[in-house]
Amino acid sequence: QVQLVESGGGSVQAGGSLRLACTASGYTETSNSNSRSCVAWFRQAPGKKRETVAAISTGGGVTYYADSVEDRFAISHDNIKATTYLQMRDLKTEDTAMYYCALRRLCLAGVGTWYSEQMYVYWGQGTQVTVSS
């Protein structure tokens, strides 16, 4: 069974930084370079729909960022550690949310809405990020 575990959340003042980590276990990456996995970070604030924050192919060649975070967040992946990171800087109060990571197999990164949550099957438990003024 695939398991994803998030860490790194917490409380920070506006303008501060946090780095989230998502470590995966229980799966073996395909040897077919045309059929790779993608990992995405999502967030959901109270009363709002869950949205994609950033996504990355496990090969590291293709990324996606929401417009609201593109200049401030950076997603990266370490294949050896099977860990995907989300480096967040210049945090704003509107970044406050529960952050989740999720994994999708057979991901054609860069094709269509490859970063949308509908195709992500395996999810972590979430980690809370709270940004105060």
Side-chain angles (χ1 to χ4, degrees):
Q1 180 67 45
V2 175
Q3 183 175 356
L4 304 176
V5 179
E6 302 101 330
S7 62
S11 298
V12 65
Q13 288 188 303
S17 299
L18 286 172
R19 188 179 75 162
L20 307 184
C22 173
T23 300
S25 63
Y27 83 103
T28 301
E29 185 69 271
T30 178
S31 61
N32 188 341
S33 62
N34 294 321
S35 300
R36 294 182 174 180
S37 297
C38 295
V39 178
W41 286 96
F42 304 88
R43 68 185 181 187
Q44 186 168 26
K48 295 185 177 181
K49 295 289 186 68
R50 185 155 55 195
E51 64 177 347
T52 305
V53 179
I56 189 170
S57 63
T58 54
V62 180
T63 59
Y64 164 84
Y65 296 96
D67 290 343
S68 60
V69 308
E70 185 165 9
D71 294 333
R72 300 181 294 116
F73 292 9
I75 189 170
S76 61
H77 183 76
D78 186 326
N79 283 308
I80 296 176
K81 296 181 178 180
T83 299
T84 306
Y85 301 95
L86 185 67
Q87 180 67 56
M88 306 183 293
R89 67 175 181 84
D90 192 24
L91 284 162
K92 303 176 179 181
T93 56
E94 52 262 44
D95 295 318
T96 295
M98 183 71 75
Y99 283 70
Y100 302 88
C101 69
L103 183 145
R104 170 189 175 181
R105 293 189 181 277
L106 303 177
C107 178
L108 299 177
V111 178
T113 55
W114 63 278
Y115 48 81
S116 63
E117 69 173 87
Q118 285 76 15
M119 296 300 295
Y120 285 82
V121 176
Y122 305 101
W123 291 77
Q125 82 287 352
T127 185
Q128 178 69 39
V129 172
T130 302
V131 184
S132 60
S133 62

